[in-house]
Amino acid sequence: MSEAEPRTSTPRLHDRLEAITELLRRREGLLEYAGAAPNDDETALGATDAELQSRLDELHPADLADVLESLPLEDRLAVWQRVRSDRDGEILLEVSDSVREALIADMDDSEILAAVEPLDADELADLVDDLPTDVLPELMASLDAQERERVQAAMSFEDDQVGALMDFDMVTIREDISLEVVLRYLRRFEELPAQTDKLFVVNSENVLTGVLPLHWLLVNSPDKMVHEIMAPDVNTFRPEDDAYDVAQAFERYDLVTAPVIDHQQRLIGRIAVDAMLDFIREESETEALSRGGLREEEDIFASVWKSVRNRWAWLAINLITAFIASRVIGLFEHSIEKLVALAALMPIVAGIGGNSGNQTITMIVRAMALEQVGPSQAKRLWRKELGVSLINGVVWGGCIGVVAWLLYGSVSLGLVMTSAMTLNLLLAAFMGVGIPMLMTKLGRDPALGSSVLITAVTDSGGFFIFLGLATIFLL
C-alpha cells in the first residue's frame, strides 16, 4: 500500500462505488444511442469518461481494490482498463487471489511486466505464483542479482512462514558511530522505508547487535555513540518461524517492526506490522471459510462453475449427513404417527443442540489458534463443557419441558423433552471439543467444516435421543 497516496476520508467507499457504477451505466447508455446525435453524444461521452477517470485516480489503491472486487466481471474489467498503468502493481497486491487471476488474464505480457517490475522483492514474491509462466523468465532477467536472490528466497518459504512475509527494505547502521553521523546518514534518504520505528545495528559481518529506536535517536545528544544507547535485547525472528506465532508476539509486545535473522545471527530482513495485519486478516477469512466448508476464497461474481467447484465437497457431505438424519426420523415413523406433537417438538431439540455445539466448537478452535489449548487438555475441557451443557440442559430443557406440558397437557412429554434436550446438549459439548481435537491430531485445520460436522451430529443425535425416549416412555 503506497504511503504517497493518502486515503480520502469522504465520501464513504460505498458511495464512491455507487457513483462509479452509475457512471458505467451512463456510459453504456451513451454508447448504445451514439448514432442518434453524434456530436452531443460524443461530448457527453467524453465528459463521462473524464469524470470516471477522475474518480478512479483519486482512490487509494486499497480502495480501488475494494471497488474492483465489488463489481461484476464486465464492469470490473471496464474499470481495470481505465486504471493508470503505474498503479497496476499496487492494486494487484491488494485484491484477493480470485480477482487477481481475472485481472491478470485481461493483461498482455508487456502490461504485466510493466506493472510488477517496480515492486519490491517481497511484493514480487507474493505475485509470482499468479503470473503466467511465459512472463517469469523475462521478469527474473530484468532483476539485478540481489533482487533476484531476494525473490527466490521469499518464494522458498511457505505462505505461513515469516520468510514469505518479511521485507528487505530497511535501514542498518554500525554501533561504533555517533548519533550525529546517524542523523547525517538518514538525511541522505528521500524517504525512510514504511513502518520504520527503529534502526537495526549490525557489525562488519552484518550480525545484528541491537536496535536503535528513532525516538531515542532524537532525544539523545548527537555526541553519544550508538552502542551507548542502543537496545541490545530485541525481539528477533527466524524466516522459518510460524507467522501466527510472530503475529501474537507483535500483539503482545506492541511491535511495529522486528528484525529477521538467520542461524548465524546475520540480519536478512525485517517483519512489519502491516504484513502481520494482512496475515491475520487472511487467516481469519480462511478460518471463516473453512468453518462453512468452503475450500478457498471465492470471487463473489465468479462463474457458476467455479463457485460450484468451490462448494460441492462439503455440500455432498452435508447431503449424506442430512440423509442419515432423515433415516433416523424414519426409524420412528410409527411413533410420530401415534403422537403428532413429536414432529413439532423435535426440531427444537436438534436446533438448540446445534447452536450449543457451535458455541463450544468456536471457543475451542479460537483457543487452539491462540495456542492456549491442545489435545493434552482434552479431558479437562470435556469436563468443563459437559458441566456447562448439563446446567444449560436442565435449565432450558426444563423451560421447554414446561411449555410442552402446557401445550399438550402431558407431564411425561415435558419430562421427555427436558431429558432429550439435556442429553443432546451433552452430546454437542462432547463433539464440540472432540471434533477440533481429532482434526488437529490428523494434521488438519481444526476449523475445517466444523459447523457442518457439529450440525450433522446434533441433528441426527437429537432426533434419535428425543424420538427414542418418546417411544420408550410415551408409547
Side-chain angles (χ1 to χ4, degrees):
M1 186 180 294
S2 173
E3 293 276 340
E5 299 179 71
R7 182 188 294 268
T8 53
S9 57
T10 56
R12 294 180 306 143
L13 181 61
H14 175 72
D15 296 332
R16 285 178 282 181
L17 174 62
E18 287 191 340
I20 290 171
T21 303
E22 174 59 29
L23 287 171
L24 290 171
R25 299 286 80 79
R26 189 192 309 171
R27 188 177 187 280
E28 288 178 3
L30 290 170
L31 288 173
E32 185 175 349
Y33 296 103
N39 293 332
D40 292 342
D41 281 344
E42 285 181 10
T43 302
L45 184 60
T48 300
D49 284 341
E51 184 178 355
L52 177 59
Q53 190 67 55
S54 175
R55 288 187 176 274
L56 295 179
D57 290 345
E58 71 182 15
L59 288 177
H60 188 279
D63 292 335
L64 252 176
D66 287 339
V67 167
L68 289 167
E69 291 177 354
S70 304
L71 292 172
L73 181 60
E74 184 177 347
D75 290 343
R76 179 185 298 159
L77 295 181
V79 168
W80 178 238
Q81 289 163 4
R82 286 169 175 77
V83 172
R84 294 203 321 262
S85 58
D86 61 326
R87 308 179 75 196
D88 286 351
E90 288 181 300
I91 296 169
L92 288 174
L93 287 170
E94 296 287 351
V95 295
S96 63
D97 292 346
S98 53
V99 172
R100 184 186 302 140
E101 180 183 348
L103 298 182
I104 290 177
D106 190 57
M107 304 169 70
D108 58 36
D109 290 356
S110 60
E111 290 175 326
I112 294 172
L113 287 170
V116 301
E117 281 179 350
L119 299 179
D120 294 332
D122 57 307
E123 295 172 330
L124 274 175
D126 291 338
L127 292 179
V128 163
D129 288 341
D130 298 312
L131 300 179
T133 53
D134 54 342
V135 172
L136 296 181
E138 188 174 350
L139 172 62
M140 298 302 284
S142 68
L143 304 176
D144 59 41
Q146 184 183 48
E147 284 290 295
R148 192 180 307 116
E149 183 180 346
R150 288 175 171 178
V151 171
Q152 292 170 341
M155 291 173 57
S156 66
F157 295 99
E158 300 292 334
D159 291 341
D160 58 354
Q161 289 183 312
V162 168
L165 304 173
M166 67 180 179
D167 181 3
F168 299 99
D169 194 11
M170 55 192 169
V171 180
T172 61
I173 57 175
R174 298 284 291 273
E175 62 183 1
D176 55 353
I177 60 176
S178 68
L179 300 189
E180 183 179 1
V181 174
V182 174
L183 288 169
R184 288 205 306 266
Y185 172 62
L186 293 181
R187 292 191 188 103
R188 295 167 54 188
F189 289 87
E190 292 184 4
E191 62 177 351
L192 293 178
Q195 313 297 337
T196 296
D197 69 321
K198 61 176 69 79
L199 309 177
F200 301 122
V201 184
V202 297
N203 62 18
S204 58
E205 296 179 351
N206 205 42
V207 172
L208 183 74
T209 58
V211 297
L212 177 61
L214 287 182
H215 63 278
W216 291 8
L217 172 64
L218 297 176
V219 301
N220 280 278
S221 169
D223 297 329
K224 287 189 175 181
M225 304 297 288
V226 169
H227 67 81
E228 294 181 74
I229 64 169
M230 71 179 188
D233 297 322
V234 296
N235 294 285
T236 59
F237 303 102
R238 300 287 177 83
E240 63 271 14
D241 287 345
D242 184 89
Y244 200 92
D245 295 337
V246 176
Q248 289 181 293
F250 265 68
E251 185 273 332
R252 186 180 303 116
Y253 304 119
D254 297 324
L255 301 177
V256 176
T257 59
V260 181
I261 59 175
D262 62 16
H263 292 286
Q264 284 78 41
Q265 307 298 311
R266 289 193 298 260
L267 181 68
I268 58 175
R270 67 167 186 159
I271 192 76
V273 66
D274 55 349
M276 289 292 93
L277 287 173
D278 288 342
F279 176 78
I280 292 171
R281 176 183 56 81
E282 291 170 3
E283 284 292 294
S284 298
E285 291 175 354
T286 299
E287 182 178 317
L289 293 170
S290 296
R291 193 177 294 120
L294 293 172
R295 295 190 300 172
E296 59 187 22
E297 184 180 7
E298 181 181 309
D299 177 6
I300 196 66
F301 295 107
S303 68
V304 172
W305 176 238
K306 282 188 176 181
S307 295
V308 168
R309 284 191 300 171
N310 190 31
R311 305 180 195 184
W312 75 268
W314 281 96
L315 286 179
I317 294 173
N318 205 5
L319 178 62
I320 295 171
T321 58
F323 179 76
I324 293 172
S326 72
R327 297 319 305 147
V328 170
I329 296 173
L331 295 174
F332 299 96
E333 286 180 356
H334 297 296
S335 301
I336 296 173
E337 289 174 359
K338 292 179 182 179
L339 189 58
V340 179
L342 300 179
L345 295 173
M346 64 183 184
I348 299 175
V349 177
I352 295 297
N355 288 337
S356 178
N358 273 308
Q359 288 178 343
T360 300
I361 212 165
T362 298
M363 292 295 295
I364 298 300
V365 168
R366 177 182 178 277
M368 294 180 80
L370 295 174
E371 297 187 350
Q372 296 172 340
V373 299
S376 61
Q377 284 90 28
K379 290 184 179 179
R380 178 175 295 181
L381 292 170
W382 266 317
R383 284 197 298 269
K384 183 253 186 176
E385 292 299 326
L386 289 172
V388 171
S389 294
L390 180 61
I391 294 173
N392 280 331
V394 171
V395 172
W396 300 112
C399 290
I400 196 64
V402 171
V403 172
W405 168 40
L406 294 176
L407 284 175
Y408 299 103
S410 172
V411 176
S412 299
L413 179 59
L415 291 173
V416 165
M417 191 71 183
T418 300
S419 301
M421 184 170 291
T422 302
L423 289 173
N424 199 30
L425 287 180
L426 291 172
L427 174 63
F430 182 83
M431 297 306 296
V433 175
I435 288 174
M437 293 293 178
L438 179 61
M439 287 288 193
T440 300
K441 281 199 169 185
L442 295 175
R444 307 296 297 275
D445 180 359
L448 184 61
S450 57
S451 62
V452 176
L453 294 175
I454 195 69
T455 300
V457 171
T458 53
D459 281 355
S460 300
F463 293 147
F464 184 81
I465 291 169
F466 178 59
L467 295 175
L469 290 176
T471 301
I472 295 171
F473 295 106
L474 300 180
L475 302 175

